[in-house]
Structure formats: structure tokens, C-alpha cells
Amino acid sequence: MEALCRFFNVTAASLAALFAPLVPLVWCVTVFMAVDFATGVAASRAEARRAGRPWRFESRKAWRTVQKLGFVIMSLGMACMMDAVTAGLFAPGLARLFGGLVCGVELWSFLENACRISDAPALRWLSRLVGSRLGKEVER
């Protein structure tokens, strides 16, 4: 029984050590997605108010965001495993690269939502700049 307990403890510690570098990245992606979700809700409400329509919160859209966050976290975990297990075979920092791509897309979406809320020309210009910059980085 003691050997089994040691085995589970070592396994849990090994998994924690494998995924330890992911904690700040997961928090960063979670914050970006939460801010994008909040501004998306605000943009939807602002558009409904402008059109004179009643607005209501739809939980299915919220669950879609939760599902997307779950898939992103799983993908980050898989990229982290590729970084750790196949050291040297793939580009280093694959998890950070993927996390940066997700955060870039969420930033772009946040800027689009901000344009829908405020209709400021500076936000439109910044949204186009981020979109073109993100497109150039992905093409590389």
C-alpha cells in the first residue's frame, strides 16, 4: 500500500512539474478571453440599445466562450508537452507561441468590440493595425 501511495505521489508531482510553466500563460489567456467576453456583451447591449431592440443575456454564448477556453487550455497543455518531451525536434516555446497567438486574436476581437461600443476613429485605426500586424505574423 505504501508503494502505491508513493507511485501516485510521484506521478502527481511529475505532472505538476511538467505543466508548471503553463500557469502564467493560462492566466494570461484566461484574462484576455474574459475581457473580450465582457466587451462582447457590452457591444451587443450597445447595439441593441441603438437599434431600439430589447437586449437579453444568452447563456449559450457564454457557454461557447467557456468551451473555447477549455479547448485553448488543453491545446496549451499539449503544446507544453511537445516542448518538454520532444525537446529539439520542434521550435522552442511552442506553448508560448500558441498562447501569444490566442492573446493576439482576443486583443483584435476586444478592439472590434470597443469599436462597436464607442465608434471612435482611433479604435478603428488600432483595430485595423492589429489585424494587419497579426496577419503578417501568422503568414511568417
Side-chain angles (χ1 to χ4, degrees), residues 28-38 65 68-69 72 102 106:
C28 184
V29 165
T30 301
V31 166
F32 270 70
M33 290 180 83
V35 168
D36 176 48
F37 175 75
T65 300
K68 180 173 72 168
L69 178 63
V72 166
V102 170
E106 294 299 322

Side-chain angles (χ1 to χ4, degrees), residues 9-26 73-74 76-87 95:
N9 286 339
V10 167
T11 303
S14 299
L15 286 174
L18 178 66
F19 294 113
L22 270 186
V23 173
L25 197 55
V26 167
I73 291 173
M74 283 189 279
L76 285 171
M78 290 188 290
C80 181
M81 284 178 36
M82 285 178 65
D83 282 344
V85 175
T86 60

Side-chain angles (χ1 to χ4, degrees), residues 38-67:
T39 57
V41 169
S44 170
R45 187 163 187 235
E47 286 179 342
R49 190 174 347 126
R50 278 189 214 120
R53 290 180 283 128
W55 178 83
R56 68 176 196 267
F57 182 79
E58 295 182 25
S59 63
R60 65 184 164 88
K61 291 183 179 180
W63 279 114
R64 205 171 17 177
T65 300
V66 170
Q67 187 180 38

Side-chain angles (χ1 to χ4, degrees), residues 1-9:
M1 186 66 178
E2 187 177 330
L4 188 60
C5 186
R6 282 185 187 166
F7 172 76
F8 284 123
N9 286 339

